[in-house]
Amino acid sequence: MNNLSYPVVPDAIASIHGSSLYPDLCGSVFFCQMPCGVFVNAQFHGLPVVRGNNCSHFLGFHIHENGDCSQNAEADFYQTGSHYNPDNSPHPNHRGDLPSIVSCNGYAWQAFLIDTFSVTEIIGKSVVVHASSDDFKTQPSGNSGAKIGCGVIKLNV
């Protein structure tokens, strides 16, 4: 039996809000520091809906280097900068590269464990949802399209 403790309260939270094109997009991303990595729990609604036989739609999901989710007439979330990548690794090996979101009829929930960063090193950075899927090869950011959702990662106090 393993004695890993499960944190009940997240160490950090990002509250996601949508871009000017997706004002109804919102969600929450919770970060819990674990002994073996960071447990991430994310939930969204108001994501783009794809019509057709398959309701699922993959969207890029990353931690970006700047915690500024500003919007202006020219660009939404233009101040978030690039993916968090302190090691200058090629995409998809940035520390801020996260598993894609799978939207189903505009809703998504996912949870995963990741060991590429600690909670303390991402405080003040941003979490960004992109309009398209991440192809996991195009440099520098996976050709994942416009930034449609953003939230600053803050300590949960």
Side-chain angles (χ1 to χ4, degrees):
M1 183 92 165
N2 198 329
N3 284 333
L4 291 178
S5 62
Y6 180 79
V8 177
V9 178
D11 298 300
I13 299 173
S15 296
I16 307 299
H17 63 279
S19 68
S20 58
L21 294 176
Y22 294 93
D24 295 332
L25 192 159
C26 63
S28 299
V29 184
F30 304 98
F31 300 90
C32 298
Q33 186 66 57
M34 305 289 282
C36 52
V38 176
F39 177 71
V40 180
N41 182 346
Q43 52 195 0
F44 307 94
H45 66 275
L47 294 166
V49 175
V50 175
R51 302 288 178 207
N53 293 337
N54 184 350
C55 71
S56 296
H57 180 61
F58 289 89
L59 302 170
F61 184 44
H62 309 103
I63 295 175
H64 282 244
E65 59 192 353
N66 302 322
D68 183 346
C69 291
S70 299
Q71 297 174 269
N72 67 18
E74 289 83 42
D76 290 313
F77 315 130
Y78 64 102
Q79 297 284 16
T80 58
S82 299
H83 294 180
Y84 176 54
N85 186 18
D87 306 317
N88 293 315
S89 299
H91 184 71
N93 297 314
H94 302 154
R95 286 204 212 167
D97 290 333
L98 303 174
S100 295
I101 296 167
V102 181
S103 171
C104 185
N105 293 317
Y107 296 91
W109 175 86
Q110 68 180 15
F112 54 89
L113 184 66
I114 190 165
D115 66 356
T116 58
F117 54 82
S118 68
V119 170
T120 55
E121 74 182 274
I122 61 168
I123 299 299
K125 301 195 180 324
S126 59
V127 176
V128 173
V129 176
H130 293 269
S132 302
S133 62
D134 188 324
D135 67 14
F136 299 106
K137 60 184 173 188
T138 303
Q139 300 302 320
S141 60
N143 198 28
S144 51
K147 299 171 184 177
I148 63 169
C150 186
V152 177
I153 303 168
K154 299 178 180 179
L155 271 176
N156 186 28
V157 289

